[in-house]
Amino acid sequence: MDLSWTRYVTLAITLLLYMSQGMNSSEMGPFFPVEAAAKGVSQTMIGVIFSSGAIANIIASVVLMSYSKPETQKLTFCIGGFASAISYFAFGYVNHIPSTTLFTVTSIIARSITGFGVAMLWSTGLPILLTKFPDSPGKIASISEAFYALGLMVGPPVGSFLYSLGGYTLPFAVPGTLQFIMVLMCCFLLPNAAKIDLAATQTLHPAELSGRSLSISQIDRGTLAFITSPGIILVTLPLLILVSSQSYLSVTLAIYLFETYNVGGDTAGLYFLVFAGLGAMVAPGFGTIVDKGFGGPIFATSIVTTAIGYFLVFLPQLIPSLICRPFLLSALGLIGISYSGGLTSVYLLFEKTGARYGFTDKAKIKLIVASWLNCCFGFGAITGQIFIGGMVFQAFGFYVSSLLQGVAAALFGVAGILFLLRAGLLKRVYYNEPQDPLLPDDK
């Protein structure tokens, strides 16, 4: 593929920022729950602190779905990057606050600002990349996911190392500073909106859809219609359990490791490494498979293996002899691989599901899908950190909360897979098909 240097620059900088976002999401998992608990913060409130960024992410993503435009993508991207970097840096100083209440409130504010910034980065960065690489959208999505997963992978051990080296502040100061520098580079090196090739963002197929196509002038109504489409909902439900994995483990695994194996925050990051590392390793392979038309089967398989992974985590509750580190690491690895496969394939499925409901403006649908994925991450974080990883974990422990994750993945997965089967999305489907069929009942 013949690529200009501007494409290389755009790709490199965006991927590095995505990697830093992955680090920001995971590196505090090995030590923050223990630090917060030492200050008197309850497990449920720890989940609230973690998920406050997700709530802000949801709010920002909903706004961006309706009002984001291709012309403002670079500006939105850079503002989001600065907001995320500065707030993450500031989060490293909340431990100096002696009051438990003030510590909690300040943490929530800092995480919320980070969430706003993350939403702006992801809602605009991935659409820019996909329009600049129209021939390999699956590979670009998978590479983006791989770099984010790489950040998730190196975040916990890096966080543990920096925590052991310089205490609470250093794990936030170093990544925050590096991200600020990268965003500053983006301001000078990313192409302006007028220079982004939008030729590949025309409608997926012409107006044979008899007036059911949604135009830009109908965008507010179109956004609401997209996210409330039955097919979008049925794909979203299992995705929420899949994306909640990282959030759930970030607030529960460190405590479980400490209570079960006496593993402290300085080494717990190695266990997170298995979950994120295997996901990062297999993501490019998943992207190649998605580009060959197998996005639906990859997503369906990922949901099934996610359920199996959580059932394996629960199994030592029934068979105590399985309480050993290799068995736990195997289950975490399976969940990590499933996480990667599901995220790599779902972008295509959202686009194709929207097309089957008559959404044909490709430029806008990319922005809507990217923003909706941010919302899914936010909802998944709330589910993983407040509900399952907070209230359920606090009441019933790690094994039962993991079982609930598995049951939810299985139930929602069945509904999602049945829809994919009905919509023809378990067959070979591609990003750049000349025409996408409507759902049978809508013809």
Side-chain angles (χ1 to χ4, degrees), residues 419-437:
F419 166 75
L420 295 178
L421 181 63
R422 172 179 177 266
L425 293 175
L426 291 181
K427 302 176 182 178
R428 280 195 169 190
V429 290
Y430 304 89
Y431 275 96
N432 296 317
E433 291 176 320
Q435 181 169 340
D436 290 288

Side-chain angles (χ1 to χ4, degrees), residues 44 47 381-394 401 404:
T44 299
I382 293 172
T383 301
Q385 294 171 344
I386 294 182
F387 178 58
I388 300 179
M391 293 182 287
V392 177
F393 175 80
Q394 188 170 357
S401 57
L404 182 58

Side-chain angles (χ1 to χ4, degrees), residues 130-193:
L130 292 181
T131 56
K132 292 179 73 63
F133 297 87
D135 296 331
S136 302
K139 291 180 181 178
I140 295 302
S142 69
I143 292 173
S144 300
E145 166 59 26
F147 268 77
Y148 181 76
L150 183 62
L152 289 176
M153 177 181 70
V154 301
V158 169
S160 294
F161 172 74
L162 294 176
Y163 177 73
S164 64
L165 188 65
Y168 180 88
T169 301
L170 198 61
F172 300 98
V174 173
T177 301
L178 293 176
Q179 183 177 324
F180 187 92
I181 294 172
M182 286 186 287
V183 176
L184 191 62
M185 294 172 61
C186 287
C187 294
F188 294 98
L189 296 177
L190 280 178
N192 294 320

